[in-house]
Amino acid sequence: MSQESSDQEHVRPYVFRDETSRSMHFSLHEIQSRMHLHDPHALDLRYTRTMMGFLMFAPCPQRIMMMGLGGGSLAKFCHHHLPQAHMDVVEINPHVIALREEFGVPADGPRFRVIQADGARFIREVVQHYDVLLLDAFDDQGLPGPLASARFYRDCADALQPGGVLVANLPASLQHLSACLQRIRMAFGGAVLVVGDDDLENVVVFAFKLGVGQSLACHVDACVCPAGLDASAREQLMPAFDGIAQAWARRVSARTKEKAVQSVD
């Protein structure tokens, strides 16, 4: 198949520009990514800051994979604030990749590259495993079916190092959200923390590939606020870190109450 015919299979996003920002859209109703011109490395959308909460569990990742480039907000943040990390960004839509310079996405280099590929196929063929997988891949129809299958989440677990973490952004309005969450739990043996946002628009899922003899409680209780973050990154992420800690506390409380009811029965 020619590159031209392949390109025609994908919807072209469009860019909205004003004096202070630049945003990428597939439709008028949904923003895929937004960049403030005065601070192009900042994370403008709340769910992106929640996704960066993986730093509580993996404060110094060496290898990160991201599926879905969009306007590159997460990719730029990781490249700028995590200089030790090597990052692969997989994006299937060539029209999205074509906008990378407009959104200030770094050029390919020794520790950063953008790969045009089918994400489900790419993750299945991974040879060198990752510390973190970031899933934020949507098209004009929403979450692609292959990126919500049981097989896909099993492949994600296989592609992680022991102790690694998968971070998936899912729309709260996703028709099959409950089924999707169940597939993630099955793939990761139940080691999953779900964090919603105040706007009820996004659900961010943290799924952990636990090492031998490691429990989810021990893994989460050992989380730290990364010491190496600069003041700008810390200011952006601390509210997200607090939200994740609160979500974990609610999870523990719910499990405790559930056990208490079971013991009474």
Side-chain angles (χ1 to χ4, degrees), residues 81-144:
H81 292 288
L82 303 175
Q84 82 287 346
H86 293 256
M87 189 168 193
D88 293 332
V89 183
V90 178
E91 170 60 57
I92 195 172
N93 189 334
H95 306 304
V96 171
I97 297 175
L99 294 171
R100 63 185 292 178
E101 291 186 6
E102 181 145 13
F103 285 89
V105 175
D108 288 359
R111 65 183 187 90
F112 183 89
R113 60 176 180 163
V114 176
I115 305 159
Q116 184 186 345
D118 178 286
R121 185 176 304 169
F122 183 91
I123 203 74
R124 193 176 305 148
E125 298 172 354
V126 163
V127 176
Q128 191 175 1
H129 293 174
Y130 294 93
D131 301 302
V132 178
L133 297 181
L134 301 173
L135 305 183
D136 190 24
F138 298 93
D139 57 25
D140 60 310
Q141 301 298 315
L143 181 66

Side-chain angles (χ1 to χ4, degrees), residues 45-221:
L45 300 180
R46 180 179 301 180
Y47 83 86
T48 59
R49 298 191 289 272
T50 301
M51 289 185 73
M52 286 303 305
F54 75 78
L55 289 171
M56 297 176 68
F57 315 108
C60 192
Q62 300 300 305
R63 299 194 75 238
I64 301 172
M65 177 192 160
M66 180 173 178
M67 198 172 298
L69 174 63
S73 297
L74 283 166
K76 289 188 297 182
F77 191 92
C78 290
H79 183 266
H80 185 71
H81 292 288
L82 303 175
Q84 82 287 346
H86 293 256
M87 189 168 193
D88 293 332
V89 183
V90 178
E91 170 60 57
I92 195 172
N93 189 334
H95 306 304
V96 171
I97 297 175
L99 294 171
R100 63 185 292 178
E101 291 186 6
E102 181 145 13
F103 285 89
V105 175
D108 288 359
R111 65 183 187 90
F112 183 89
R113 60 176 180 163
V114 176
I115 305 159
Q116 184 186 345
D118 178 286
R121 185 176 304 169
F122 183 91
I123 203 74
R124 193 176 305 148
E125 298 172 354
V126 163
V127 176
Q128 191 175 1
H129 293 174
Y130 294 93
D131 301 302
V132 178
L133 297 181
L134 301 173
L135 305 183
D136 190 24
F138 298 93
D139 57 25
D140 60 310
Q141 301 298 315
L143 181 66
L147 303 188
S149 69
R151 166 69 185 273
F152 173 70
Y153 293 123
R154 290 196 300 269
D155 289 338
C156 287
D158 290 341
L160 283 168
Q161 299 274 16
V165 57
L166 164 76
V167 190
N169 172 45
L170 301 174
S173 59
L174 184 66
Q175 184 176 4
H176 303 296
L177 178 60
S178 295
C180 200
L181 292 174
Q182 183 60 22
R183 292 175 194 133
I184 297 174
R185 291 188 177 99
M186 291 291 290
F188 285 84
V192 171
L193 177 63
V194 179
V195 182
D197 62 22
D198 295 337
D199 299 326
L200 299 178
E201 292 183 357
N202 297 84
V203 171
V204 176
V205 183
F206 296 87
F208 305 93
K209 185 173 182 177
L210 301 178
V212 176
Q214 188 178 38
S215 70
L216 177 59
C218 290
H219 192 73
V220 175
D221 289 343

Side-chain angles (χ1 to χ4, degrees), residues 1-10 95:
M1 182 181 293
S2 68
Q3 182 65 40
E4 181 178 358
S5 62
S6 176
D7 290 358
Q8 292 173 356
E9 296 177 1
H10 302 285
H95 306 304

